[in-house]
Amino acid sequence: MVTEAWIVKMRNQVSANLKHALLLESPSAKKPSLPKQTIGILSFEVANVMFKTVHLHRSLSDAEISKLKSDVFRSEGVRNLVSSDENHLLHLAVSEKLDDLSRVASVVSRLGKKCSEPALQGFEHVYEDIVNGAIDFRKLGFLVKDMESMVKKMERFVNATCSLYSEMEVMNELEQAIVKLQRSQQHQESVKAFEQKLMWQRQDVRSLRDASLWNQTYDKVVEMLARTVCTIYGRIETVFGKKDSTLKRDR
């Protein structure tokens, strides 16, 4: 089992490192560390992943699961084209949810390689052992206690990042317009007006970079996503049951 070997190698420090990385424990003594990398241009990809994560979480609400069982499973189209066996339909549903979650976890694992915390760098191993049932992630103490607050936080990041994308496009258009006007060596008043607009636009972009994912560190963002992924996995277990063989399948 990957995590057990990791625990031995790290002298049983994985759990402590994981909790520290996920901001659940305060280190007794802070050590100097290298500056943490910020997300930057990858913020747009990360925003897309966050959006999908939020959507997956919403799809596992009590209301959505009730709708799935009472409406979707019993619809004539599903019963005729897929199956009338509810157990089989549940198996298909949990498979789809796990596939969606694993795609998110894969991106989180890739982003984790840029983190400074070893536990986040090795998230792929943690997630693999969670899925395989090799560790009880509920006992590690890093599940999100208030998912609605976490979801709202991620939604704010997603919305701000979408706004940043739009404003950066406007900024690029202004820059190109100024270049064209300068090349024509005419309309100097127009050039000055566009330069003023560009200055204001750059200020808006700088502000949005702070509010969006752009200026967030990999450690902060990966921590949010890693905790959310594990919490959603726990929700899938709660909704569909631990004993479903799909939850234990190899990946």
Side-chain angles (χ1 to χ4, degrees):
M1 292 183 289
V2 177
T3 301
E4 287 187 355
W6 189 15
I7 291 175
V8 172
K9 185 176 181 181
M10 298 295 290
R11 297 182 181 181
N12 297 321
Q13 291 301 306
V14 170
S15 294
N17 285 342
L18 191 56
K19 289 181 180 180
H20 170 50
L22 300 177
L23 307 181
L24 292 173
E25 289 185 352
S26 299
S28 57
K30 292 186 178 180
K31 298 180 180 179
S33 58
L34 296 174
K36 296 179 180 179
Q37 295 185 62
T38 53
I39 299 294
I41 193 66
L42 287 181
S43 59
F44 306 119
E45 178 187 356
V46 176
N48 184 46
V49 172
M50 277 193 174
F51 176 81
K52 291 178 179 178
T53 304
V54 169
H55 177 74
L56 180 56
H57 166 70
R58 299 287 192 208
S59 74
L60 292 166
S61 68
D62 290 340
E64 288 299 318
I65 295 301
S66 176
K67 181 179 178 181
L68 180 71
K69 293 180 178 180
S70 62
D71 296 344
V72 178
F73 285 180
R74 295 179 183 178
S75 69
E76 185 176 347
V78 170
R79 296 178 72 86
N80 290 336
L81 298 176
V82 183
S83 175
S84 59
D85 183 347
E86 185 169 325
N87 288 330
H88 178 63
L89 293 174
L90 282 171
H91 182 81
L92 293 177
V94 70
S95 295
E96 181 181 359
K97 301 300 182 186
L98 286 172
D99 285 342
D100 291 343
L101 185 60
S102 290
R103 280 192 286 271
V104 172
S106 177
V107 176
V108 176
S109 298
R110 175 164 55 83
L111 295 172
K113 303 300 182 185
K114 295 182 179 292
C115 292
S116 61
E117 287 291 347
L120 296 178
Q121 293 172 1
F123 176 71
E124 60 186 302
H125 303 303
V126 176
Y127 183 71
E128 180 183 352
D129 278 354
I130 286 174
V131 171
N132 291 333
I135 57 175
D136 186 352
F137 62 95
R138 297 176 189 274
K139 294 181 179 180
L140 291 178
F142 62 88
L143 298 186
V144 180
K145 294 181 179 179
D146 187 352
M147 269 299 290
E148 286 309 308
S149 294
M150 178 66 84
V151 164
K152 288 178 181 178
K153 186 175 184 179
M154 289 194 292
E155 285 178 332
R156 286 195 295 270
F157 275 133
V158 170
N159 291 334
T161 305
C162 289
S163 296
L164 173 63
Y165 183 85
S166 298
E167 295 305 318
M168 286 181 70
E169 283 195 324
V170 173
M171 183 178 69
N172 290 335
E173 290 172 0
L174 286 171
E175 289 173 341
Q176 292 172 12
I178 290 172
V179 170
K180 290 180 180 179
L181 287 171
Q182 288 174 337
R183 285 176 179 173
S184 67
Q185 296 183 345
Q186 297 177 0
H187 310 293
Q188 291 303 309
E189 291 300 321
S190 296
V191 171
K192 291 181 181 179
F194 271 84
E195 287 176 340
Q196 182 64 50
K197 289 181 180 179
L198 179 59
M199 183 183 71
W200 292 332
Q201 189 65 25
R202 284 173 174 168
Q203 290 176 351
D204 290 341
V205 167
R206 280 196 294 269
S207 178
L208 281 170
R209 282 180 175 177
D210 290 334
S212 70
L213 291 164
W214 188 283
N215 282 344
Q216 306 305 314
T217 65
Y218 279 97
D219 286 70
K220 178 178 179 177
V221 172
V222 171
E223 173 232 326
M224 289 174 57
L225 287 169
R227 293 179 65 193
T228 301
V229 163
C230 294
T231 304
I232 290 176
Y233 185 85
R235 175 61 180 169
I236 291 175
E237 277 195 347
T238 299
V239 170
F240 296 101
K242 281 186 178 183
K243 295 181 180 180
D244 192 309
S245 60
T246 308
L247 290 169
K248 305 299 182 185
R249 68 185 177 184
D250 292 333
R251 294 197 170 271

